[in-house]
Amino acid sequence: MARPLSTARFATMSEAEIRSAERTLKAGTWAITAGALLFSVLTVTPLVRSVSPPGWEWTAPILPLVVDAAVIIVVQLDSVISRLGGSGGAWPALLRWMTGVMTLALNIGNSALHHDWVGMAVHSVAPLLLIVTAEAGLAYRRAISTALARIAREQAEEAAKQRAEREAREQRERDERERARAEKEKQEREAREHAAKLERERAEREEARLREEREYALALERERTEREEAARKAEADLKARELAAKLERERAEREHAARLERERAEREAAERRRLEEREDAQRREEAQRQERARAERERQAARQAAPSITLPGRPKQAVPAKAEKVSPRVVAVVMDEEFAGMTMDQAEAALFELYRAARDASPYGDWEQDPLAKPGGEFCGSNLGRRLGRSDVSGRTKVKPKFEKWYEEYLRSKESAGDRELVGVS
């Protein structure tokens, strides 16, 4: 079956040639359209001016321009739709023929009114040529679009076919290479397995021989080790017994020496306590004797004719005009009469014992942070002075530093006693 003329011609042309023909068609169509539109404007304007009301003759070019614009729309959109391979339906065809008929009528209208048949024929050339060119161009574009689509489809099919053949060829080559590689790997694996089997058998024979030799050597080493272990154990037991006996003797000697040292320390401590008690008794007797002498002197001085004064909270007493100088100091006025009847040294010693006991029992690492030692506390410098019957300044500058010095000596003596006890125990 023979192909249609259009498709048979396009089948021998390349895509570039077809597109060149399409550009030629487009250029020719627009040249014919432009010439026809220009000729239509020049032809139709006098006709419209002749039928326009007076004063409106300037509107004559509008009508041919409107018709020409419709022609341009038809030509352009037909070109686009044909390129897309579609059809606009009846309305585009109606517009195309209506614009063509209107252009034809307007062009031959003036000649028809004057019954000029030659003029009608001359003026009908451009509109008829425009109408036929539009229809022919539409048919040409559709044929070209169909041919381009067919060529693109054939090229795509050819490319797909070539790609499929290439992929099939590559797949066959890959399969052949895979089979060759698999065959080679199989042969190599069989060779390796055979070599490994031979090596495994040789290694098993060698391992069996070495195992027998190791077992024999281990048996000999085990017997030698057992003999040496038995000898070391016997020697260690002997040394352990000797060491235990030596440690027991040393422990007994240390315990005997510690017991003797402890008994000696106890005797010395008992002797020191007896001496301290005797010294305390002597000091108390001396204090009582001095107190009795002081009381006797006061009674004698009270009997003398001297002016008398009254102390707050005390009965009226006689005060000598010139008191006799006494060696031991006696607290005359103290806080709440805490140490009444004691000498100054005795009062200071008694107050220091209270100070030391409070400081030893303090939970504060820094004694100055204890509320008892802070200003206003029971053992602050000012109150220490008041409790001894002195001024606040004397308590801060003399009594408090003296107590701190005594407390340091107390701590040193305590540490020395602890060291002696540790030496005695060891």
Side-chain angles (χ1 to χ4, degrees), residues 122-361:
V122 171
H123 286 90
S124 64
V125 172
L128 291 176
L129 183 60
L130 180 61
I131 294 171
V132 175
T133 300
E135 291 296 332
L138 180 60
Y140 284 142
R141 289 190 182 92
R142 288 176 179 172
I144 290 172
S145 298
T146 303
L148 290 175
R150 179 181 57 77
I151 292 173
R153 184 171 60 255
E154 290 176 355
Q155 291 177 351
E157 292 175 356
E158 182 66 21
K161 182 179 179 180
Q162 293 177 358
R163 186 170 58 255
E165 292 177 355
R166 185 174 62 256
E167 290 178 353
R169 185 171 62 256
E170 292 176 353
Q171 183 63 33
R172 286 194 301 271
E173 293 175 356
R174 285 196 297 271
D175 293 341
E176 291 176 358
R177 289 195 299 271
E178 185 66 24
R179 284 194 298 271
R181 186 180 61 80
E183 184 66 23
K184 184 178 179 181
E185 289 180 353
K186 181 179 178 181
Q187 294 175 359
E188 292 177 353
R189 185 172 61 254
E190 290 177 352
R192 287 195 302 271
E193 290 177 353
H194 181 68
K197 182 179 179 181
L198 296 177
E199 180 65 22
R200 188 166 54 252
E201 292 175 355
R202 186 192 65 77
E204 289 177 354
R205 291 193 299 270
E206 183 68 18
E207 180 65 23
R209 184 182 64 80
L210 294 176
R211 185 169 56 251
E212 291 176 357
E213 293 178 357
R214 285 196 300 272
E215 289 177 354
Y216 180 72
L218 288 174
L220 295 178
E221 181 66 20
R222 187 164 51 250
E223 292 177 359
R224 184 183 65 80
T225 303
E226 289 176 355
R227 289 194 300 271
E228 292 179 354
E229 184 65 25
R232 283 197 300 271
K233 185 176 181 181
E235 184 179 359
D237 291 341
L238 178 60
K239 290 181 178 180
R241 287 193 297 272
E242 292 177 355
L243 180 61
K246 181 180 179 181
L247 293 176
E248 182 64 24
R249 288 193 302 272
E250 292 178 353
R251 184 183 63 79
E253 292 174 357
R254 285 196 303 273
E255 291 179 353
H256 180 68
R259 184 170 61 255
L260 294 177
E261 181 65 22
R262 188 166 52 253
E263 292 175 355
R264 183 186 63 78
E266 291 176 354
R267 287 195 300 272
E268 291 179 356
E271 183 65 23
R272 283 197 302 273
R273 285 195 297 273
R274 285 194 297 271
L275 292 175
E276 291 175 357
E277 291 174 357
R278 185 167 61 248
E279 291 176 357
D280 291 342
Q282 292 176 356
R283 284 196 297 271
R284 284 195 296 273
E285 291 176 357
E286 180 65 19
Q288 291 175 359
R289 184 182 62 78
Q290 293 178 358
E291 179 64 21
R292 286 193 297 271
R294 182 190 64 78
E296 181 63 25
R297 285 194 298 272
E298 288 181 354
R299 284 194 298 272
Q300 293 176 1
R303 286 193 295 268
Q304 295 177 2
S308 61
I309 61 173
T310 303
L311 297 175
R314 302 289 298 273
K316 188 173 182 181
Q317 301 179 6
V319 179
K322 185 176 181 181
E324 183 182 358
K325 185 176 181 180
V326 183
S327 177
R329 294 177 299 168
V330 180
V331 176
V333 180
V334 295
M335 181 178 284
D336 297 331
E337 299 181 356
E338 184 177 5
F339 305 108
M342 293 185 183
T343 64
M344 183 60 68
D345 293 338
Q346 293 173 347
E348 287 180 351
L351 184 57
F352 172 72
E353 289 300 319
L354 298 177
Y355 181 85
R356 180 189 59 76
R359 184 161 181 178
D360 288 344

Side-chain angles (χ1 to χ4, degrees), residues 334-335 338-339 351 354 378-379 383-389:
V334 295
M335 181 178 284
E338 184 177 5
F339 305 108
L351 184 57
L354 298 177
E378 184 177 356
F379 294 102
N383 281 335
L384 290 176
R386 296 192 192 101
R387 294 171 70 173
L388 292 175

